[in-house]
Amino acid sequence: MTETDLMEKIVSLCKRRGFVYQGSEIYGGLAGTWDYGPLGVALKKNIENLWWRQFVSSRDDMYGLDSSIVMPEVVWAASGHLEGFTDPMVECAKCKHRFRSDQVEGEHCPECKGKLGKPKMFNLLFPVDLGSTVGASRGYLRGEIAQGMFVNFKNIIDSFHPKLPFGIAQSGKAFRNEIAPRDFLFRVREFDLMEFEYFVNEAEWEKWFEYWRNEMWGWIESVGIKKDSVHELNVPEDERAHYSKRTIDFEFDFPFGRKELYGLAYRTNYDLSKHMEKSGVDMQYAEEDGSKFVPHVIEPTFGLGRTVLAVLASAYTEDELGGEKRTYLKLKSAIAPVKAAVFPLLKNKPELVAKAREVYQALKKEIPQVMWDDNGNIGKRYRRQDEIGTPWCITVDFETLEDDTVTVRDRDTGEQERVPGIELGAKLSALLAA
Ligand code: GAP
């Protein structure tokens, strides 16, 4: 399978099985927007919840936040995004098509061969007019969610009096007016981000940078992204964001090339100092001995859409089972959108259907994301569940009616085991927790 094939197969599976659809598709689609269908939103939320558990709720040093998407112009002026959040763009003199300068070679437009103009800097922030008088008050959809953490720094300090080091974390939408959205979920105009700002004493920034670097590798493993396909890149100074003194990109071998998946940045005390200057609010942290300083920041950032794509590319598998070709998603059970599917062996036998319904209802109370499936024959159901990454299929057959045991089929091996119905919930819960 070539890499282009793999990408086409992933996009097609996502649409066919209800993971991801083109945004506003019935009107021809809006470039750079994608809509998550029932299975996609389940997968995305499972990843987000896993991230939240791993980095926020299981820790004592992390404070959760859900800040507003629209923020006033002054925030972006202070943070430097009004000036610095730009990509170089070239426009074709003939067809007016715009490209990111780093995505075209030579002086001519790849589509119509027209002459490309000189590169101009293009700001990625989306402006919004607030209130009824156009232009009365300018806001922006947040281009990064980090600014929500910085503008709430003092609130968290005043409410919780945390000791350094501590972090403020959130996940949510970010918006960027990308010049050339492309590669499915990879470069879009509206996307979900999960990130935190970890506030430290300046003297300790390197220690915490290394700590979070390791934790990020731990996350890559726990979410089920192939570790061998992830590579660190030390971003050179001239390519770093305006606020960063050191950045490591975690790049992934996507089917369309090796590209940024996550970032880890040392933002110094740049943002808090700028907000302190612009707002006049004291952003200093006071030590017990009374000394005061503006803390420095380590920022691990995780694009959620890119995580979904890297997880799908890592999980997509084709093999042969029982002499038949099949496609399956080898997803970690913690993030699989459906954990278990329950079927009656035959759907025209009322006693089997009734028993299977009973098993289904009982299991739903014990584990999340259980699905009922009685469409087509059993082989088709297995194939369908394999394709969406369901780790376990439970079949209720004639033996169940006699001894209350069901079969549990493992997605990866196709092997089946008979389990007493009464033990099913506990068994799957234990597997899920493993
Ligand atoms: N607060 C830091 C920050 O926003 P960034 O490198 O500009 O850093 C963070 O973006 C992450 O967001 C990236 O590592 C990537 O995973 C994701 N990302 C950035 N632009 C994106 C886009 N246009 N579409 C999808 N994901 C994007």
Side-chain angles (χ1 to χ4, degrees):
M1 182 169 43
T2 68
E3 295 293 273
T4 325
D5 282 350
L6 174 61
M7 198 56 201
E8 275 170 15
K9 284 175 176 176
I10 290 173
V11 175
S12 143
L13 187 152
C14 280
K15 181 168 163 62
R16 198 171 61 251
R17 294 289 183 217
F19 281 85
V20 182
Y21 309 113
Q22 170 76 65
S24 305
E25 191 176 11
I26 61 166
Y27 290 102
L30 176 65
T33 65
W34 295 92
D35 295 348
Y36 288 82
L39 295 184
V41 68
L43 174 65
K44 185 162 78 117
K45 277 187 194 282
N46 289 345
I47 293 174
E48 193 179 1
N49 290 340
L50 185 70
W51 184 89
W52 193 264
R53 253 199 324 278
Q54 190 155 328
F55 291 112
V56 189
S57 56
S58 69
R59 300 183 60 107
D60 297 329
D61 58 352
M62 208 60 89
Y63 295 83
L65 184 74
D66 182 7
S67 70
S68 302
I69 283 173
V70 180
M71 299 175 94
E73 184 161 52
V74 65
V75 168
W76 305 105
S79 70
H81 284 76
L82 275 189
E83 250 186 61
F85 199 46
T86 50
D87 273 341
M89 177 192 77
V90 284
E91 190 176 276
C92 169
K94 196 166 156 195
C95 69
K96 306 290 174 207
H97 202 117
R98 291 171 163 187
F99 301 89
R100 269 170 58 142
S101 309
D102 58 354
Q103 285 171 356
V104 277
E105 278 175 21
E107 292 182 356
H108 292 96
C109 168
E111 268 140 45
C112 71
K113 305 288 169 226
K115 183 131 173 66
L116 294 172
K118 288 214 157 46
K120 286 188 207 140
M121 294 317 272
F122 178 79
N123 195 292
L124 303 182
L125 288 176
F126 276 111
V128 282
D129 287 316
L130 303 171
S132 56
T133 324
V134 173
S137 176
R138 171 56 60 90
Y140 289 87
L141 301 181
R142 59 188 181 191
E144 62 162 2
I145 63 175
Q147 294 308 321
M149 272 82 96
F150 294 124
V151 302
N152 279 289
F153 174 76
K154 188 159 173 0
N155 285 333
I156 303 289
I157 293 271
D158 291 349
S159 305
F160 298 93
H161 310 287
K163 294 266 163 296
L164 280 187
F166 71 91
I168 308 180
Q170 73 173 322
S171 65
K173 293 274 187 195
F175 300 81
R176 296 183 187 177
N177 198 2
E178 294 285 353
I179 300 162
R182 55 162 67 184
D183 297 323
F184 195 35
L185 303 172
F186 180 79
R187 190 176 300 288
V188 294
R189 292 191 168 125
E190 173 180 341
F191 57 97
D192 298 89
L193 258 177
M194 310 178 288
E195 70 184 16
F196 47 89
E197 309 306 318
Y198 199 72
F199 300 96
V200 302
N201 196 313
E202 181 181 5
E204 296 193 328
W205 81 264
E206 277 160 311
K207 173 176 124 187
W208 290 110
F209 192 92
E210 286 309 312
Y211 171 82
W212 286 113
R213 183 182 187 174
N214 271 329
E215 294 295 304
M216 288 178 84
W217 278 108
W219 163 256
I220 286 164
E221 178 136 46
S222 55
V223 76
I225 292 173
K226 275 188 189 154
K227 267 182 138 176
D228 295 353
S229 304
V230 180
H231 314 270
E232 287 189 6
L233 172 82
N234 248 309
V235 181
E237 191 179 347
D238 58 337
E239 288 174 28
R240 288 200 291 262
H242 60 276
Y243 48 70
S244 175
K245 250 196 171 160
R246 178 163 187 218
T247 298
I248 289 179
D249 279 352
F250 288 73
E251 296 192 315
F252 179 73
D253 294 322
F254 287 100
F256 40 83
R258 186 173 290 183
K259 299 263 165 76
E260 178 185 341
L261 171 64
Y262 300 144
L264 172 64
Y266 168 43
R267 290 180 81 130
T268 68
N269 61 358
Y270 175 87
D271 299 85
L272 287 182
S273 302
K274 290 284 175 188
H275 286 304
M276 182 159 149
E277 213 176 288
K278 199 85 172 176
S279 66
V281 173
D282 188 357
M283 297 285 187
Q284 294 181 95
Y285 172 85
E287 289 280 23
E288 267 162 17
D289 66 6
S291 60
K292 284 182 164 188
F293 57 91
V294 179
H296 281 233
V297 168
I298 307 297
E299 179 196 65
T301 182
F302 308 73
L304 180 49
R306 288 189 190 180
T307 308
V308 169
L309 190 51
V311 159
L312 288 173
S314 300
Y316 187 94
T317 315
E318 290 177 351
D319 70 356
E320 257 188 48
L321 192 67
E324 269 193 54
K325 279 196 168 37
R326 67 156 181 168
T327 297
Y328 73 107
L329 291 182
K330 201 172 177 168
L331 296 172
K332 293 250 181 178
S333 56
I335 60 161
V338 177
K339 309 287 185 245
V342 178
F343 354 119
L345 179 65
L346 301 168
K347 75 169 174 186
N348 56 359
K349 294 279 178 220
E351 65 277 30
L352 280 185
V353 174
K355 185 69 192 170
R357 281 267 172 210
E358 217 179 89
V359 171
Y360 168 64
Q361 294 299 349
L363 191 57
K364 263 170 60 145
K365 291 195 186 113
E366 294 199 61
I367 64 166
Q369 301 177 308
V370 181
M371 184 177 175
W372 171 261
D373 191 353
D374 61 2
N375 240 325
N377 64 30
I378 196 108
K380 282 207 176 114
R381 292 178 209 158
Y382 283 151
R383 273 199 295 283
R384 189 163 50 239
Q385 295 299 333
D386 284 348
E387 225 189 355
I388 64 172
T390 307
W392 304 290
C393 288
I394 319 298
T395 305
V396 168
D397 56 17
F398 292 104
E399 226 177 300
T400 317
L401 301 178
E402 283 166 20
D403 64 5
D404 252 326
T405 60
V406 295
T407 64
V408 178
R409 172 188 177 269
D410 178 272
R411 173 196 65 204
D412 301 349
T413 60
E415 278 166 19
Q416 297 186 27
E417 184 189 354
R418 279 208 92 81
V419 175
I422 197 151
E423 290 171 17
L424 185 62
K427 181 185 168 71
L428 297 191
S429 299
L431 287 171
L432 272 174

